């Protein structure tokens, strides 16, 4: 069912080191994510969740196996082509926000558009629209990230991921540094985006509550998929 | 999903770099200042070099007037007036003007130098050559009075007005034949030749000038005006064919070209020193940019993760350094122009002393090419400083970079850096060998650059070498604060090594320049120490050009010999000549100097003829200077033939000595021989031996009383004369000390920058230390220790680099580039001074960041990003 799949992982492993010192973050993972799905990837620390996300984004390369995103086999793409794929089609949300401290909120959202060839003013205008969408107040937009709360910063990070109108959003523990109420608001936002725009979302989390937002949950342990199934919430909705 | 398409990136936009630089302006200010200082140094030296050369060239052009050719016998050689008639008979010569060109000094205390232009006043055509006329022509009220009174003189209006003089007033001048009074018969307007030397020019009738400055019917120059439409080169060849041996015909442009050639080496040397300032600025910028980019590695990782191409990331980083470079250039160029003005007289004096010229009135004129050179170097240094770190950062693995926020990222492979170190060392060895084989200073200059590179590259192994024993050792000495300081060294080896390397290169440059100056000065003192042992040395108190005292007629010798208490006298004449296609000097002593060691003895180097001193006294042999032997390939036993005004003179070389009169070489000979062939009876020094039991102080007073005023004499002991020459060397090197000082400022600014940045960049870490309970004073001490450690490491590198560069230059490059051969002398007390200054500045540079570190609010620091 690869056609129509946003992401395909085929017997993917990622190992580090040589010989007896080899440690594998992922071992023989196979997974398909249909377009428009909200997939939650769960697992404890060190289970390989972030590694899997990095492989899907093309930030890292697998030791073996095949990774395809949007029908493109990442191994067959050059580094520049993988960069272009990320810039045009994949939005990445980091746990620690990773906003640039010397950029204003607007500039933090707009800069990927500038690398897509958009002029400064047009980029800022589009950024403003996306910031509206994620609920960042107008007054906050000319401030620096350091002046914002954690929840606001994460909304800005999500806006940066969305501003390029991606087909796929990869969110690496987006609520990990937030209090529960703020975290829930962020998750609600992601779910709404998924529903409204059929945006494919892969959410990495160690929280069962966060995982329940997904249509499907995949559980990783020691680099392997140990469980895969619909989330209780989606079962309830289907039922 | 759609096919991946090629993207446009904001190649010419500086929006992204400007946003990244926001919030770093203060941190980068010192970096910009360092770059600007390097740019200012290069700009100033280039402007000054051009101004000085232009000043000397303008003098040649103006003094030549309309004359296309000049006939001379060296700088001051005399020849019969009849030569002018011979030259005027050559087809193509419109006019041949016999001239006496000399120097005189005002008789009062200031001893202002006047250039004397002795020409046939009644020959209007001759006078017109120099355009030295007032508004109505050179109108003399009574030309017959002018001719009949040998004390007649014409001054420039500018000189006369400065001294409150008018026509018919009198002026006392000191000439080689003693003090004379002259009557002002006319004043010249400031045009033509009257413009040179700030108006310090006097025109006399040829006969009167011969009487006062040369000898009757002897001149020292013929200026030739070539007939319109005739080819100057052809006429020059025709004149050369009829000239007696020892006389040369040359065009002013040839003199300019010769002057340019001899000055080029010194200018190249000065430019090299200026470039070292740019290198220091480059290292500082490299250090800061590498650190800055490293701290932002996680941001670059984020950019890559979001999808920016590696090349685009690299480009944005290069744009940042371009911005810094542009600001550095924008500040550095006006600074350089401002610096050139006070530096100009110092460098002009250096060149005048070095090449025995009169320092001209020179003015700084801003030239586009000087500015372009400085701008190109500044921007180039900034871009180069960013190239390697930008490439490294852009190529880092994205995932590891984002995870490794705040941690020094791995650099290029150690193997490749060691290969580079090996190549640099091999390069140094190759260049030094090539220099000694080819005798070309170019290889020495390349080796100099490589030694600077080797110093920078050696810093990291040094940091790693000392960090092992350092940690426990420092804890024992300075407690936990010192241990933390050493740990900072270990955990940020690249940054620390870069800073230590910058200090090493910068301070090493300063030490090398001081070693050069010290070696030159001590070599002069050592060389003269044995050569001057007489009880007294009598000279003119006026300096004619460079460091050489004005000549005095040798009748002075007889007058001094006649004073009771004087046992013997020996005169010395120093003059410029030419041999083997270039300039040399002749240093001629009376025979008594060679036969009586009480006067002193030239220190001989290596082998010599067994009868050297007797042969010198008899005028049968000469001694050559070590640089003469080096540059002209002459050895003891060889015969050299000098072209003299009286014909060719073959001379046996009986020995070599170390003398510092001419950069290309000096010939020592007997003065009887010299006088016979050059018709020159003047002396520059008269050495006096007191009779046994005579009171030397009383003798000195007697000479001063009887003859001092008439000749404007200076009477010194041999020690005082040697000190005078040593002082002249210090004067010649004054410019170099200023440049060394500026390089020191650039380096120390960089040091302060690094220490300040180190604290700012570790705000979180320092905040965590405070949060854990460490007292403020321990943090303060930690930063101070860090500063001192860096200073110590840098100084160690500097000593090694300074010694290596100093040895290379003293032993080889300096003789091949600038001419003089030197003995190596290490400037111990200057090295100690540099060490002290470094310690003080490192401490001072660390004080403010140490205070800031101690004042950190832990809560705010932990939130710092």
């Amino acid at each position: 069912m690869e056609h129509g799949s946003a992401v395909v992982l085929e017997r993917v492993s990622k190992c580090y080191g040589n010989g007896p010192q080899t440690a594998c973050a992922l071992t023989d993972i196979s997974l398909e994510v249909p377009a428009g799905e909200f997939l939650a990837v769960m697992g404890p620390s060190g289970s390989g969740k972030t590694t899997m996300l990095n492989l899907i984004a093309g930030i890292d390369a697998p030791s073996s196996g095949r990774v395809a995103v949007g029908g493109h086999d990442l191994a067959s793409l050059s580094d520049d082509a993988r960069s272009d794929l990320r810039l045009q089609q994949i939005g990445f949300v980091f746990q620690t926000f990773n906003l640039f401290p010397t950029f204003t909120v607007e500039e933090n959202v707009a800069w990927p558009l500038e690398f897509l060839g958009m002029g400064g003013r047009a980029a800022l205008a589009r950024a403003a629209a996306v910031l509206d969408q994620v609920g960042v107040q107008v007054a906050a937009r000319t401030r620096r990230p350091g002046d914002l709360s954690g929840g606001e910063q994460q909304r800005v990070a999500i806006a940066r991921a969305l501003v390029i109108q991606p087909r796929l959003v990869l969110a690496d523990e987006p609520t990990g540094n937030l209090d529960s109420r703020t975290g829930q608001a962020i998750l609600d936002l992601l779910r709404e985006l998924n529903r409204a725009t059929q945006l494919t979302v892969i959410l990495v989390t160690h929280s069962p509550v966060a995982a329940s937002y997904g249509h499907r949950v995949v559980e990783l342990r020691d680099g392997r998929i140990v469980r895969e199934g619909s989330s209780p919430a989606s079962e309830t909705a289907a039922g | 999903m759609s096919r991946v398409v090629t993207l446009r990136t904001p190649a010419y936009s500086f929006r992204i770099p400007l946003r990244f630089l926001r919030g770093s302006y203060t941190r980068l200010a010192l970096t910009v200042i360092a770059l600007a200082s390097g740019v200012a140094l290069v700009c100033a030296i280039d402007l000054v070099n051009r101004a000085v050369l232009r000043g000397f060239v303008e003098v040649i052009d103006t003094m030549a007037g309309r004359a296309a050719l000049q006939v001379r016998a060296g700088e001051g050689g005399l020849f019969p007036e009849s030569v002018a008639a011979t030259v005027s008979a050559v087809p193509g010569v419109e006019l041949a003007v016999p001239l006496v060109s000399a120097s005189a000094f005002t008789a009062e205390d200031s001893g202002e130098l006047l250039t004397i232009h002795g020409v046939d006043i009644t020959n209007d055509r001759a006078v017109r050559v120099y355009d030295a006329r007032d508004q109505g022509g050179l109108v003399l009220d009574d030309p017959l009075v002018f001719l009949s009174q040998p004390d007649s003189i014409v001054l420039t209006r500018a000189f006369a007005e400065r001294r409150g003089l008018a026509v018919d007033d009198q002026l006392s001048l000191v000439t080689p034949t003693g003090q004379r009074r002259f009557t002002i018969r006319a004043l010249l307007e400031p045009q033509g030749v009257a413009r040179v030397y700030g108006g310090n020019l006097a025109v006399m009738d040829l006969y009167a000038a011969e009487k006062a400055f040369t000898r009757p019917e002897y001149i020292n120059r013929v200026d030739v005006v070539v007939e319109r439409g005739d080819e100057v080169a052809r006429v020059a060849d025709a004149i050369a064919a009829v000239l007696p041996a020892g006389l040369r015909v040359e065009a002013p442009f040839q003199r300019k070209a010769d002057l340019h050639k001899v000055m080029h080496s010194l200018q190249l040397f000065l430019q090299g020193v200026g470039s070292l300032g740019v290198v220091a600025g480059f290292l500082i910028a490299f250090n800061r940019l590498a650190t800055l980019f490293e701290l932002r590695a996680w941001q670059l990782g984020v950019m890559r993760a979001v999808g920016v191409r590696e090349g685009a990331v690299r480009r944005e980083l290069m744009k940042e350094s371009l911005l810094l470079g542009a600001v550095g250039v924008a500040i550095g160029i006006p600074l350089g122009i401002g610096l050139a003005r006070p530096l100009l007289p110092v460098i002009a004096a250096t060149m005048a002393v070095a090449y025995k010229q009169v320092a001209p009135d020179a003015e700084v004129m801003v030239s586009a090419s000087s500015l372009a050179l400085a701008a190109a170097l500044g921007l180039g240094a900034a871009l180069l400083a960013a190239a390697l770190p930008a490439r490294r950062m852009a190529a880092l693995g994205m995932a590891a970079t984002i995870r490794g926020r705040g941690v020094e990222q791995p650099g290029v492979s150690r193997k490749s850096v060691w290969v580079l170190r090996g190549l640099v060392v091999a390069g140094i060895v190759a260049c030094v060998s090539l220099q000694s084989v080819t005798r070309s200073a170019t290889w020495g200059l390349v080796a100099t650059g490589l030694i600077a590179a080797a110093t920078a590259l050696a810093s990291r192994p040094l940091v790693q070498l000392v960090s092992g024993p350092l940690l426990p050792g420092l804890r024992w000495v300075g407690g936990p604060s010192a241990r933390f300081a050493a740990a900072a060294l270990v955990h940020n080896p690249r940054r620390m090594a870069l800073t230590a390397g910058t200090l090493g290169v910068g301070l090493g440059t300063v030490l090398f320049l001081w070693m050069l100056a010290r070696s030159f000065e001590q070599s002069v003192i050592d060389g003269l120490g044995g050569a001057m042992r007489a009880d007294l040395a009598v000279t003119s108190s006026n300096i004619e050009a460079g460091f050489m005292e004005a000549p005095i007629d040798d009748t002075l010798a007889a007058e001094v010999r006649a004073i009771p208490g004087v046992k013997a006298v020996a005169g010395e004449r120093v003059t410029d000549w030419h041999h083997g296609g270039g300039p040399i000097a002749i240093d001629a002593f009376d025979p008594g100097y060679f036969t009586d060691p009480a006067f002193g003895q030239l220190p001989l180097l290596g082998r010599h003829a067994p009868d050297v001193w007797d042969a010198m006294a008899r005028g049968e042999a000469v001694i050559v200077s070590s640089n003469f032997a080096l540059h002209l390939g002459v050895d003891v036993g060889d015969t050299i033939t000098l072209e003299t005004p009286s014909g060719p003179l073959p001379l046996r070389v009986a020995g070599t000595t170390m003398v510092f009169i001419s950069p290309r070489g000096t010939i020592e000979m007997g003065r009887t021989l010299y006088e016979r062939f050059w018709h020159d009876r003047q002396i520059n020094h008269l050495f006096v031996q007191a009779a046994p039991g005579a009171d030397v102080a009383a003798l000195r007073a007697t000479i001063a009383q009887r003859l001092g005023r008439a000749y404007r004499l200076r009477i010194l002991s041999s020690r005082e004369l040697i000190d005078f020459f040593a002082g002249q060397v210090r004067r010649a090197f004054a410019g170099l000390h200023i440049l060394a000082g500026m390089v020191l400022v650039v380096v120390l600014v960089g040091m302060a920058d690094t220490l300040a940045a180190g604290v700012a960049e570790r705000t979180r870490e320092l905040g965590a230390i405070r949060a854990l309970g460490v007292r403020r004073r321990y943090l303060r001490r930690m930063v101070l220790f860090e500063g001192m450690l860096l200073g110590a490491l840098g100084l160690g590198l500097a000593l090694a680099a300074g010694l290596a560069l100093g040895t290379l230059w003293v032993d080889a490059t300096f003789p091949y580039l600038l001419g003089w051969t030197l003995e190596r002398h290490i400037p111990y007390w200057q090295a100690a001074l540099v060490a002290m200054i470094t310690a003080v500045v490192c401490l001072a540079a660390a004080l403010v960041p140490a205070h800031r570190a101690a004042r950190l609010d832990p809560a705010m620091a932990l939130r710092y990003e």
Side-chain angles (χ1 to χ4, degrees):
Chain A
M1 199 202 141
E2 191 167 316
H3 181 72
S5 295
V7 174
V8 175
L9 276 75
E10 229 175 70
R11 306 202 63 181
V12 168
S13 295
K14 177 66 183 179
C15 299
Y16 302 95
N18 298 311
Q21 310 289 337
T22 306
C24 288
L26 288 177
T27 307
D28 207 25
I29 300 283
S30 291
L31 181 67
E32 267 190 59
V33 183
E37 183 176 60
F38 191 140
L39 176 73
V41 179
M42 258 191 71
S45 285
S47 57
K49 308 187 297 295
T50 301
T51 305
M52 188 171 84
L53 221 58
N54 288 342
L55 291 177
I56 293 170
I59 291 172
D60 209 346
S63 306
S64 63
R66 179 176 162 262
V67 179
V69 176
H72 301 284
D73 183 347
L74 295 189
S76 69
L77 297 179
S78 66
D79 183 70
D80 279 354
R82 284 199 295 273
S83 297
D84 296 346
L85 182 70
R86 283 197 299 278
L87 191 60
Q88 290 180 74
Q89 299 191 23
I90 303 174
F92 208 115
V93 182
F94 301 93
Q95 179 181 2
T96 53
F97 325 136
N98 283 332
L99 299 174
F100 296 160
T102 57
F103 285 38
T104 62
V105 162
E106 282 177 325
E107 289 165 351
N108 262 292
V109 175
W111 70 260
L113 295 174
E114 294 179 51
F115 282 95
L116 280 170
M118 202 177 276
R121 283 191 192 178
L124 286 172
R126 173 97 82 90
V130 176
L131 285 165
D132 270 337
Q133 195 183 357
V134 302
V136 174
Q137 292 178 4
V138 173
R141 291 175 198 179
T142 52
R143 290 177 12 209
R144 304 276 169 85
D147 298 330
L148 306 181
S149 67
E152 285 175 317
Q153 289 189 57
Q154 195 58 293
R155 286 178 190 272
V156 174
I158 291 171
R160 181 180 62 194
L162 295 177
V163 78
I164 58 164
Q165 295 175 331
R167 302 292 186 94
L168 169 67
V169 164
L170 306 173
D172 188 358
E173 308 238 26
T175 60
N177 282 350
L178 305 174
D179 61 86
S180 55
R181 201 171 124 198
T182 310
Q184 191 176 343
I186 296 297
L187 292 168
D188 288 339
L189 175 61
L190 286 172
R191 182 165 58 188
E192 185 51 36
L193 286 166
N194 168 252
R195 279 185 187 158
T197 64
Q198 290 301 295
L199 177 67
T200 309
V201 177
I202 300 178
L203 169 77
V204 159
T205 182
H206 64 269
S207 158
V209 172
S212 69
Y213 275 73
H215 296 129
R216 183 162 60 115
V217 179
V218 165
E219 193 174 331
L220 289 180
R221 199 179 291 274
D222 296 328
R224 291 177 193 276
I225 295 177
V226 297
R227 196 169 69 86
E228 189 177 338
S230 301
S231 73
S234 69
E235 280 172 349
T236 306
Chain B
M1 282 187 180
S2 60
R3 208 163 50 87
V4 174
V5 296
T6 309
L7 301 168
R8 285 184 298 119
T9 51
Y12 302 110
S13 164
F14 281 83
R15 273 196 302 270
I16 305 278
L18 278 169
R19 288 174 199 160
F20 276 124
L21 284 173
R22 257 187 230 151
S24 306
Y25 297 139
T26 316
R27 285 189 221 174
L28 290 169
L30 284 174
T31 309
V32 167
I33 289 170
L35 269 174
S37 301
V39 168
L41 204 55
V42 166
C43 180
I45 289 173
D46 200 66
L47 286 172
V48 164
N49 276 345
R50 286 170 196 268
V52 168
L53 191 63
R54 201 169 42 242
F56 281 117
V57 161
E58 197 182 326
V59 166
I60 293 171
D61 273 340
T62 311
M63 291 300 287
R66 285 199 304 120
L69 296 166
Q70 288 177 346
V71 174
R72 299 147 66 89
E75 280 301 321
L78 305 181
F79 52 91
E81 225 181 278
S82 54
V83 169
T86 306
V87 171
S88 68
V90 170
V93 172
E94 178 187 321
L95 188 63
V97 180
L99 273 172
V100 166
S101 179
S103 300
F105 300 85
T106 54
E108 82 300 323
D109 285 342
S110 73
E112 209 174 334
L113 170 71
L114 264 181
T115 299
I116 303 296
H117 206 67
V119 66
D120 184 356
I121 293 288
T122 60
N123 186 343
D124 193 49
R125 290 180 74 207
V127 175
R128 277 174 197 273
V129 171
Y130 309 101
D131 201 21
R133 299 185 299 158
D134 63 15
Q135 284 158 339
L138 181 57
V139 176
L140 297 167
D141 288 340
D142 192 338
L144 285 178
V145 170
F146 196 96
L147 288 178
S148 67
Q149 302 294 332
D151 69 338
S152 300
I153 198 167
V154 177
L155 297 178
T156 65
R157 187 173 292 284
F159 181 84
E161 279 174 4
R162 261 202 319 270
R163 291 176 163 268
L165 296 167
V167 173
D168 293 331
D169 282 349
Q170 295 211 310
L171 174 71
S172 287
L173 295 177
V174 178
T175 75
T177 51
Q179 202 174 121
R180 291 171 177 247
R181 289 188 82 78
F182 294 90
T183 305
I184 302 165
R185 304 290 181 195
L187 296 178
L188 293 170
E189 296 305 322
Q191 62 192 46
V193 73
R195 284 187 297 112
V196 296
Y197 300 128
N200 280 29
L201 176 90
V203 178
M204 302 174 67
D205 183 63
L206 182 64
Y207 172 71
E210 284 173 356
K211 212 168 153 208
F213 297 97
T214 58
R215 49 162 74 158
E217 296 180 10
Y218 274 80
I219 55 176
N220 56 20
R221 198 168 109 200
V222 175
D223 283 356
V224 180
V225 178
V226 172
E227 278 177 3
R228 195 183 291 271
D230 215 325
E231 207 184 296
V232 171
R234 187 204 67 77
V235 175
D237 289 342
I239 293 171
V242 304
L243 284 178
L247 271 68
R248 293 166 63 184
V249 57
E250 57 191 7
F253 75 78
Q254 273 169 302
R255 284 202 70 205
K256 284 186 279 188
D258 285 348
L259 189 71
H260 195 195
K261 214 161 64 173
V262 298
M263 288 192 171
H264 176 69
S265 299
L266 184 55
Q267 293 185 327
L268 194 65
F269 175 59
L270 291 172
Q271 274 170 345
V273 172
S275 301
L276 284 169
V278 172
V279 167
F282 157 77
L283 282 172
I284 290 164
F286 182 84
N287 192 359
R288 280 304 285 127
L289 286 171
T291 308
L292 198 68
F293 293 168
E294 185 154 309
L295 278 172
R296 295 215 324 255
W298 68 270
Q299 294 178 0
L300 307 177
V302 169
M303 286 175 80
R304 293 281 286 125
V306 166
V308 180
R309 293 181 180 188
E310 185 183 320
V313 169
R314 195 159 56 237
R315 205 164 44 236
E316 296 307 315
L317 292 176
M318 297 297 287
K319 282 189 218 170
E320 266 187 64
S321 72
L322 194 62
L323 278 172
L324 289 176
V327 175
V329 166
I331 296 172
I333 283 179
L335 197 63
I337 293 170
L339 186 62
R341 296 206 160 97
L343 202 55
L344 175 58
V346 179
I347 301 296
T350 299
M351 297 226 185
V353 169
Y355 299 110
K356 299 202 296 302
Q357 302 280 332
V358 177
D361 275 344
E363 236 181 73
V364 171
M365 279 169 54
V366 177
S367 89
S369 44
S370 297
L371 304 190
L373 171 72
L377 281 175
L379 290 173
L383 283 171
L384 207 62
L388 184 61
R391 188 164 154 265
R392 193 159 54 79
M393 287 297 133
L396 283 176
M398 288 168 264
T401 311
I402 298 169
R403 271 202 309 272
R405 189 165 162 171
V407 173
E408 186 172 288
Q409 297 299 319
V412 296
S413 78
R414 286 189 175 187
K415 192 176 162 191
S416 52
V417 178
W418 277 106
V419 167
L420 180 63
R421 287 187 186 113
L423 284 172
V424 167
V425 169
I428 293 169
V429 171
C431 287
V432 169
S433 309
L434 281 166
Q435 181 176 239
S436 75
V437 165
T438 63
R439 296 184 170 193
S440 166
T442 307
W443 293 111
L445 293 169
V446 174
T448 301
L450 289 175
I451 290 173
T455 306
L457 288 168
S459 53
R460 181 116 182 221
L462 180 67
V463 166
Q464 280 164 345
L465 188 71
V466 303
S467 59
L470 199 65
L471 277 167
L474 271 179
R475 187 178 185 166
W476 185 77
V477 167
S481 298
R483 195 191 163 286
F484 262 109
L489 216 75
V490 171
H491 296 134
N492 293 282
R494 192 162 50 246
R495 180 153 56 95
M496 295 303 172
L498 272 173
T499 308
T502 306
L503 272 176
V505 169
L507 295 175
T509 301
V510 171
L511 279 172
F512 138 63
L513 291 173
W514 281 354
M515 185 169 162
L516 205 54
R518 174 97 183 104
S519 295
F520 199 111
E521 185 183 328
Q522 198 57 43
S523 298
V524 166
I525 291 171
D526 290 347
L528 290 175
M532 291 183 185
R533 285 203 285 258
D535 294 310
L536 294 170
V538 179
T539 78
S540 169
S541 58
N542 298 310
I543 303 295
E544 184 177 49
F547 57 85
M548 196 47 61
E549 298 93 337
I552 307 170
D553 195 88
D554 70 357
T555 50
L556 175 70
E559 291 177 73
V560 169
R561 200 182 298 112
I563 294 174
V566 173
K567 179 190 169 195
V569 298
E572 180 193 11
R573 176 64 169 134
V574 179
T575 188
D576 290 324
W577 195 240
H578 51 269
H579 175 70
I584 60 164
I586 292 175
D587 186 20
F589 288 93
D590 281 339
Y593 177 87
F594 300 114
T595 54
D596 187 351
F599 280 115
Q601 204 168 65
L602 295 166
L604 294 176
L605 306 171
R607 61 189 189 94
H608 55 84
D611 65 337
V612 56
W613 301 121
D614 288 334
M616 291 288 289
R618 289 193 303 267
E620 292 169 2
V622 294
I623 294 171
V624 299
S625 63
S626 50
N627 57 342
F628 186 102
L630 175 70
H631 298 308
L632 287 127
V634 162
D635 203 355
V636 173
D638 290 350
T639 299
I640 56 175
T641 302
L642 285 184
E643 295 296 326
T644 79
S646 305
L649 172 61
L651 297 162
R652 174 168 64 98
V653 176
T656 52
T657 185
M658 186 168 278
V659 163
F660 293 88
I661 298 171
S662 162
R664 193 162 169 268
T666 306
I667 295 176
E668 306 283 342
M669 65 169 63
R671 202 168 73 85
T672 315
L673 178 71
Y674 170 76
E675 199 183 314
R676 190 161 78 236
F677 278 83
W678 275 265
H679 317 297
D680 178 5
R681 286 199 312 246
Q682 293 174 347
I683 55 176
N684 299 92
H685 304 116
L686 182 70
F687 298 106
V688 180
Q689 264 190 62
D695 182 342
V696 175
L699 182 60
R700 184 172 180 165
T702 306
I703 297 171
Q705 189 209 357
R706 290 192 190 184
L707 302 165
R709 209 175 149 70
Y711 289 97
R712 247 184 96 78
L713 296 177
R714 186 173 56 157
I715 303 146
L716 308 167
S717 64
S718 292
R719 182 76 250 164
E720 285 167 345
L721 186 63
I722 293 169
D723 288 344
F724 165 73
F725 284 122
Q728 293 298 306
V729 170
R730 282 193 289 275
R731 196 172 138 227
F733 275 89
L736 215 60
H737 290 309
I738 292 174
L739 296 176
M742 289 181 65
V743 172
L744 192 64
V745 165
V746 170
V747 168
L748 294 173
V749 160
M751 174 73 183
D753 173 48
T754 297
L755 284 172
V759 167
E761 287 147 15
R762 285 178 299 152
T763 300
R764 253 188 174 172
E765 178 190 323
L766 297 171
I769 293 172
R770 284 279 293 127
L772 287 169
V774 173
R775 290 186 178 186
R776 293 182 197 278
R777 69 166 185 260
Y778 290 117
L779 272 187
R780 199 176 291 124
R781 272 188 219 167
M782 187 186 91
V783 177
L784 290 173
F785 262 115
E786 218 176 286
M788 300 305 290
L789 267 175
L790 277 174
L793 283 169
L795 197 59
L797 284 168
L799 289 172
L803 201 61
L805 286 171
T807 304
L808 170 72
W809 273 75
V810 167
D811 288 0
T813 309
F814 195 81
Y816 294 134
L817 182 67
L818 292 166
W820 287 283
T821 55
L822 307 176
E823 284 170 348
R824 204 181 324 134
H825 291 276
I826 296 169
Y828 293 110
W829 82 261
Q830 281 113 330
L833 184 66
V834 166
M836 218 164 63
I837 293 173
T838 305
V840 167
V841 173
C842 287
L843 207 57
L847 275 175
V848 170
H851 181 72
R852 283 183 68 191
R855 303 301 306 170
L856 277 176
D857 180 319
M860 280 190 64
L862 286 170
R863 282 201 301 274
Y864 184 81
E865 190 168 4

